Amino acid sequence: MSFHVMLRGSHREHPAGSAPAGAPLPDEPIQITVVLRRKADYNEGAIAEVGHDELTQMCGADPADIAAVDAFATNHHLTVKGVNRTTRSMKISGRLADMARAFGADLELRQLGTQTLRTRQGALYVPSTLAERIVAVLGFDQRPLAVTHHKFQSRAKQPSYFTPPELAKLYNFPSGIGKQQTIALIELGGGYNSGDLEAYWGQLGLDPVSVTSVSVGGAQNSPEGDPNSADGEVALDIEVAGGIAPGVQLVVYFAPNTDQGFLDAINAAIHDPIHKPSVISISWGAAENEWTPQAMNAFNATFHDAALLGISVCAAAGDNGSSDGEQDGHNHVDFPASSPWVLACGGTRLVARNGTRHSETVWNDGTNGGATGGGVSSHFSKPAYQSAVNVPKPAGTVNPTGRGVPDVAGVADPETGYAVIVDGQEGVVGGTSAVAPLWAAFIALCNEQLGKNLGWFHPKLYGTIAQHKAFYDITSGNNGTYKASSGWDPCTGLGTPNGQAIFNLLKTSEGE
């Protein structure tokens, strides 16, 4: 007979600053996501690109694990609503009381600002026979997990800004429009207005860019009418990516802002059989210590899936310096940027004169103005591709090494930011959330010219490309604890892109 054990990495506390607001209703319907391990015989060192069917066979969920969780659910009066071997996920529905009892979840309603949300504290528990089969259980907790990394102000108050095409020239991007490429944008709130986009493309002298929205978990394209809301993030992502690569198809995946919704959106993009994105841009995140280890592990495996499928993933490194906005006096990095399978995008302050780069430094506007995220992961070990760079030792962890963040950078300072139109207002936006779609658009241009996906190209970035100095190395400034230096540093990574130089090296490495 099986006994229950703690699910590794599942412990969490109620949100800081929240207050008790009663008990959730026992008959409330709930659907959770159980994320399963990869097949036991999977080769963890595999990085060769595969197709979706091969991915399922190679590292999908083991049918025996699915059957074991199915039997567990049935025994607890729960219903399996969906199984996806490729994403290794099972959707399980039932009464809240039955679900909480099955997993030993300690749930409570909490008042967090103006919202009353169901959250949990403590660990989750599963039968010992399932402990090694289950990676994560997501969906009990309704707290908003991720925040956007953007800052909006009107153009009247900020006369210094760049349009995306101007930045493509300043960063020497290769020619092209991103034809036959699809960029997926992950959004956890807000929405866009077609009228804003039409006006923006008109200002840039572009034909309308193809933009499609996809609903995940019931979330919709729902503009709030406030450019300082998530609307600013959505418009920024669309306008930056489309302004640089106007021939792409932009697909915006809207999902609930929970760890469950976030993961569902990423899986929806990676495995979308209709739109088939070649690049994914993520401008949302949170400090690693805001996540449960189980969630980070589940996301990380999904990002590895993207790499195996030849899909590039770009993510913002954060806007709150080396602390990533945490108040505990320690350094933190932002996730998902800290995943070793993700291209982490940091921020700079860029000054141009007569259409050329004049100076570029680390973005740091001080305590209240924001600064690029960057530092060392306390969860992920230093990857092999960073073996030749000097990544500081992580603090507060048993790991002797940590993954360095970011990998690359681009302009992010709101004072030298991006021209946008959002909720009918012309504004200037900064933040590393603009850098993720900037790099996503650059990758789309490279894919177009190469005739194939770059996919996960970190070894080339840190190898041939870094060795040939195809980045604009940022050597001045700091993000709090860390200072810029020659080569890679925990502020701006390898630097900002000299796009044509990077592309030429990529083309050479492909043997073309």
Side-chain angles (χ1 to χ4, degrees):
M1 184 174 179
S2 176
F3 60 93
H4 279 61
V5 298
M6 185 177 72
L7 181 62
R8 281 197 303 270
S10 64
H11 182 91
R12 76 181 319 166
E13 299 294 333
H14 289 307
S18 65
L25 297 175
D27 291 331
E28 177 185 349
I30 183 176
Q31 180 169 277
I32 65 164
T33 302
V34 174
V35 183
L36 301 173
R37 65 182 174 179
R38 286 178 160 141
K39 291 173 61 176
D41 60 353
Y42 172 66
N43 175 14
E44 286 291 344
I47 57 172
E49 291 183 14
V50 299
H52 286 267
D53 290 342
E54 189 178 357
L55 179 74
T56 303
Q57 295 302 316
M58 183 174 69
C59 58
D62 192 317
D65 291 351
I66 294 171
V69 174
D70 193 309
F72 167 73
T74 301
N75 289 339
H76 286 83
H77 313 293
L78 305 172
T79 303
V80 176
K81 289 292 188 180
V83 176
N84 190 316
R85 276 195 65 202
T86 306
T87 64
R88 302 175 297 279
S89 61
M90 300 179 68
K91 298 294 186 181
I92 301 177
S93 299
R95 295 174 62 249
L96 182 65
D98 293 333
M99 195 76 73
R101 189 177 303 112
F103 290 96
D106 181 3
L107 306 176
E108 191 174 300
L109 293 179
R110 305 285 291 191
Q111 190 70 31
L112 185 62
T114 60
Q115 295 180 295
T116 301
L117 303 168
R118 183 183 67 238
T119 67
R120 70 173 179 86
Q121 68 174 0
L124 298 175
Y125 295 84
V126 297
S128 58
T129 53
L130 298 182
E132 296 303 317
R133 302 175 190 260
I134 295 177
V135 173
V137 175
L138 310 176
F140 280 114
D141 205 296
Q142 296 175 317
R143 78 185 72 188
L145 177 64
V147 297
T148 65
H149 297 310
H150 81 281
K151 299 178 183 297
F152 177 92
Q153 52 193 333
S154 71
R155 291 190 202 173
K157 295 181 178 179
Q158 178 50 265
S160 177
Y161 55 80
F162 299 103
T163 65
E166 287 172 341
L167 288 170
K169 291 180 180 179
L170 288 169
Y171 285 136
N172 195 27
F173 280 6
S175 61
I177 59 173
K179 187 177 180 181
Q180 297 183 331
Q181 299 298 312
T182 298
I183 298 176
L185 305 173
I186 306 299
E187 306 296 351
L188 305 178
Y192 62 88
N193 296 292
S194 297
D196 289 342
L197 300 183
E198 290 172 7
Y200 191 74
W201 309 136
Q203 283 188 356
L204 299 184
L206 300 174
D207 291 333
V209 178
S210 172
V211 182
T212 304
S213 65
V214 174
S215 173
V216 178
Q220 303 283 344
N221 173 26
S222 302
E224 299 178 33
D226 178 0
N228 289 298
S229 71
D231 292 357
E233 183 58 62
V234 178
L236 175 69
D237 290 344
I238 293 172
E239 292 168 5
V240 170
I244 292 173
V248 302
Q249 180 182 29
L250 298 176
V251 183
V252 190
Y253 297 81
F254 289 97
N257 189 2
T258 61
D259 51 12
Q260 181 186 39
F262 202 166
L263 183 61
D264 284 348
I266 294 166
N267 272 320
I270 291 173
H271 303 287
D272 188 331
I274 298 173
H275 303 105
K276 301 177 182 178
S278 55
V279 192
I280 297 174
S281 178
I282 303 173
S283 295
W284 300 69
E288 285 183 334
N289 64 315
E290 298 291 339
W291 295 75
T292 58
Q294 65 160 1
M296 287 192 286
N297 291 338
F299 276 65
N300 193 56
T302 297
F303 292 133
H304 190 181
D305 290 347
L308 291 169
L309 291 167
I311 300 170
S312 306
V313 182
C314 306
D319 291 355
N320 293 291
S322 55
S323 72
D324 204 29
E326 297 298 289
Q327 304 299 315
D328 59 5
H330 298 293
N331 294 322
H332 297 275
V333 292
D334 213 73
F335 183 83
S338 66
S339 165
W341 302 106
V342 167
L343 186 72
C345 301
T348 65
R349 174 183 176 85
L350 173 63
V351 176
R353 292 181 182 173
N354 300 319
T356 61
R357 292 173 65 259
H358 175 70
S359 66
E360 197 163 12
T361 57
V362 176
W363 168 40
N364 188 340
D365 287 338
T367 305
N368 299 320
T372 182
V376 189
S377 173
S378 61
H379 184 75
F380 298 103
S381 298
K382 184 178 182 178
Y385 58 78
Q386 288 189 323
S387 61
V389 300
N390 182 26
V391 179
K393 185 180 183 303
T397 173
V398 295
N399 291 341
T401 65
R403 187 268 205 265
V405 176
D407 298 301
V408 296
V411 59
D413 190 334
E415 293 187 1
T416 62
Y418 298 67
V420 297
I421 297 178
V422 52
D423 293 323
Q425 298 187 43
E426 296 186 351
V428 179
V429 174
T432 58
S433 64
V435 187
L438 174 83
W439 269 89
F442 168 67
I443 292 169
L445 295 178
C446 291
N447 289 348
E448 176 190 23
Q449 296 291 325
L450 292 171
K452 62 177 293 185
N453 290 358
L454 280 179
W456 181 71
F457 65 117
H458 290 55
K460 293 178 182 177
L461 276 179
Y462 283 85
T464 303
I465 295 172
Q467 291 164 10
H468 283 78
K469 301 186 184 304
F471 289 94
Y472 297 121
D473 194 4
I474 311 304
T475 58
S476 177
N478 68 80
N479 70 344
T481 297
Y482 303 107
K483 295 181 180 180
S485 61
S486 297
W488 183 89
D489 59 64
C491 298
T492 57
L494 295 166
T496 57
N498 181 342
Q500 188 65 49
I502 292 174
F503 172 76
N504 291 343
L505 291 166
L506 289 169
K507 186 175 182 179
T508 300
S509 71
E510 295 293 338
E512 296 188 17

